[in-house]
Amino acid sequence: MNLDHIAETYVKLVLAVGVHDESYVDAYIGPAAWRDDAKTQAVPLNTLLAQADALIAHSKSLPPAPQDQTERHVFLGLQIAAVRAHIAFLNGTVLPFDEESKVLYDAVSPTLTPADLDKTLAELDGLLPGEGDLNQRLSHYNKQFEIPRDKLDAVFSAAINEARARTRRYIALPDNESFSVEYVSGKVWSAYNWYKGNSHSLIEVNTDFPMFISRAIDLASHEAYPGHHVFNVLIENELVKEKGWIEYAIYPLYSPMSFLAEGSANYGIEVAFPHVERMAFEKEVLFPLAGIDPEKAERYYQIQAVLQRLSYAGNMVAKRYLDGEIDRETAINMLMTYSLSDAERSAQRIRFIEKLRSYVINYNLGQDVVQAYIEQRAGKQDQEKRWAVLTDLLRQPKSASMMLT
Ligand SMILES: [Zn+2]
């Protein structure tokens, strides 16, 4: 078996796993016949496990790849290991949180205790108006930053068009790349990018919960420019079509691809909208479009920056809950205390954690690892360089351990 052959076998294996778990194949742009073949019968999980083991052995015994394919080989090896772990999971093998994230995402989140978060909570205590319960105060304060439902599309469209214009200044994208936006409900996520191939994405925005003004740019950048949509466009055009690296025609959700996808999509927000430029655009365009007083923007974003530091609380709660250290109710209460999300949001968050498990680390740890990788090479100030390193990373995907070495 050579690398291309291993790649093809991997794609077919992921398709076969997708027959057992419909959330597994996040995007597929490979030959339709392969997918149709996979769907004709459900291959037993034990058989798939044996196939994964054989593929791992083949990949390991492959002689060193030529220079330009070394990273391709390493990354594919990690992807295959993640497929194996997910087959085992579907077959009943549930790993402890950290072991699971290691094999699925090639990363382990730092262990946090509530005490680590107390300092940040104290800081918020000084920033939020009122007294007493922080969660209620934040919830009350945030109300004035809700985008009214009838203005949501105008605000989100403005954000996404701006993110697109900024991204296209630095990343050459095909002329036909496009996206559409739909508003949906009843989901565990707040937005989702479905990549459809031919440089097109469907972006779904969940309207179950109020959308706050900070989410407009966050979602526009994360889901689309330079986030998921751009990543998929580059993969399709440069890796699958130009290089013929067929493994990139499929995206298994629980794999190192997601660590890079979520991490770069989150860090991409700041690349597309450095703080000063973001504040200007928020005050001049988005706040007025949403009918929110732009005078309130500075304090609001100061608070957002502090809240950002609480994001690892979600990993802590997910780990404790999934490892069986705390029950569901305690987990929801901890999210309310340490993530400061209200009761309904916390319940939604728990449903997300139950469904996607250690996937949660991809957002914050992913962002931090991608940020460190890019800033080590480009610094914080040189925008052009930052875009260049980000683009290279998306064109030649690296896992967490590859970025950290
Ligand atoms: Zn995402």
Side-chain angles (χ1 to χ4, degrees):
M1 264 193 178
N2 62 22
L3 198 48
D4 287 334
H5 189 189
I6 288 174
E8 182 178 327
T9 313
Y10 155 85
V11 174
K12 290 174 177 169
L13 178 64
V14 174
L15 285 169
V17 180
V19 174
H20 291 269
D21 174 1
E22 61 172 23
S23 68
Y24 189 50
V25 179
D26 192 73
Y28 179 66
I29 53 170
W34 294 4
R35 179 165 51 193
D36 296 343
D37 277 356
K39 280 185 178 163
T40 55
Q41 56 160 336
V43 181
L45 290 166
N46 279 325
T47 309
L48 294 177
L49 207 53
Q51 288 175 3
D53 284 331
L55 196 55
I56 289 170
H58 282 303
S59 177
K60 281 188 175 157
S61 66
L62 211 61
Q67 187 85 53
D68 67 324
Q69 306 229 354
T70 311
E71 291 197 322
R72 177 192 179 199
H73 184 193
V74 174
F75 196 85
L76 180 54
L78 292 165
Q79 287 289 119
I80 298 169
V83 181
R84 192 210 179 274
H86 191 61
I87 299 168
F89 173 77
L90 293 173
N91 209 20
T93 305
V94 180
L95 297 174
F97 188 87
D98 286 345
E99 280 178 44
E100 179 187 290
S101 77
K102 180 69 192 159
V103 68
L104 292 183
Y105 309 114
D106 189 37
V108 175
S109 184
T111 304
L112 216 66
T113 65
D116 297 318
L117 301 160
D118 284 343
K119 225 182 105 191
T120 307
L121 293 177
E123 203 174 323
L124 281 167
D125 192 39
L127 284 169
L128 287 168
E131 273 172 37
D133 185 69
L134 272 180
N135 185 303
Q136 283 175 15
R137 278 157 66 194
L138 179 64
S139 184
H140 183 76
Y141 174 78
N142 276 344
K143 282 226 179 321
Q144 54 193 321
F145 298 100
E146 270 181 43
I147 306 170
R149 182 64 185 88
D150 63 337
K151 295 184 167 134
L152 182 56
D153 190 48
V155 174
F156 190 61
S157 296
I160 207 164
N161 289 335
E162 180 68 15
R164 184 173 194 247
R166 285 166 178 262
T167 301
R168 293 191 70 117
R169 255 176 250 154
Y170 296 96
I171 304 182
L173 294 172
D175 290 336
N176 70 334
E177 63 86 14
S178 65
F179 65 90
S180 47
V181 178
E182 283 177 16
Y183 297 89
V184 300
S185 59
K187 306 293 179 186
V188 297
W189 35 256
S190 51
Y192 210 103
N193 182 75
W194 302 101
Y195 192 65
K196 300 294 185 187
N198 290 318
S199 303
H200 182 76
S201 284
L202 166 64
I203 296 160
E204 290 188 333
V205 177
N206 185 2
T207 56
D208 285 349
F209 290 94
M211 186 72 80
F212 297 105
I213 189 74
S214 64
R215 299 291 283 155
I217 280 180
D218 285 357
L219 292 182
S221 298
H222 179 103
E223 302 299 338
Y225 302 94
H228 297 324
H229 170 63
V230 168
F231 188 26
N232 281 295
V233 167
L234 292 175
I235 282 173
E236 178 178 26
N237 290 287
E238 301 191 13
L239 299 184
V240 179
K241 288 186 177 160
E242 275 175 35
K243 292 187 171 171
W245 293 3
I246 195 67
E247 68 270 31
Y248 287 98
I250 200 158
Y251 177 177
L253 192 58
Y254 314 115
S255 71
M257 275 296 279
S258 285
F259 187 86
L260 177 58
E262 302 298 0
S264 61
N266 268 357
Y267 181 60
I269 299 167
E270 203 199 305
V271 176
F273 292 90
H275 181 71
V276 174
E277 292 176 32
R278 176 171 184 161
M279 291 312 297
F281 185 69
E282 297 271 8
K283 286 187 213 170
E284 283 158 26
V285 180
L286 297 185
F287 274 60
L289 270 179
I292 303 169
D293 180 3
E295 292 284 318
K296 295 175 176 170
E298 289 290 347
R299 168 62 67 99
Y300 177 64
Y301 276 98
Q302 198 185 346
I303 290 170
Q304 294 303 310
V306 180
L307 282 170
Q308 168 79 19
R309 301 213 298 270
L310 294 176
S311 79
Y312 279 86
N315 303 11
M316 175 185 74
V317 173
K319 177 176 151 73
R320 290 183 178 198
Y321 175 53
L322 295 173
D323 284 348
E325 290 168 28
I326 54 175
D327 63 16
R328 197 171 199 270
E329 198 188 332
T330 309
I332 291 177
N333 285 333
M334 280 183 87
L335 285 173
M336 292 179 69
T337 307
Y338 295 104
S339 296
L340 295 183
S341 48
D342 64 26
E344 282 190 325
R345 274 275 187 199
S346 300
Q348 183 204 34
R349 192 72 194 147
I350 282 294
R351 292 196 297 276
F352 186 95
I353 288 169
E354 286 166 347
K355 191 165 157 52
L356 286 116
R357 300 180 52 84
S358 59
Y359 192 95
V360 293
I361 73 156
N362 293 328
Y363 297 98
N364 42 36
L365 184 62
Q367 176 176 352
D368 286 347
V369 171
V370 167
Q371 174 164 5
Y373 176 85
I374 292 176
E375 290 182 356
Q376 256 169 34
R377 286 155 184 81
K380 279 178 183 290
Q381 304 305 327
D382 189 335
Q383 283 205 46
E384 201 138 333
K385 213 166 172 189
R386 216 153 62 140
W387 277 101
V389 179
L390 172 67
T391 313
D392 283 349
L393 182 59
L394 301 178
R395 282 187 176 123
Q396 175 60 76
K398 292 185 200 322
S399 74
S401 65
M402 292 166 78
M403 280 186 267
L404 289 166
T405 48

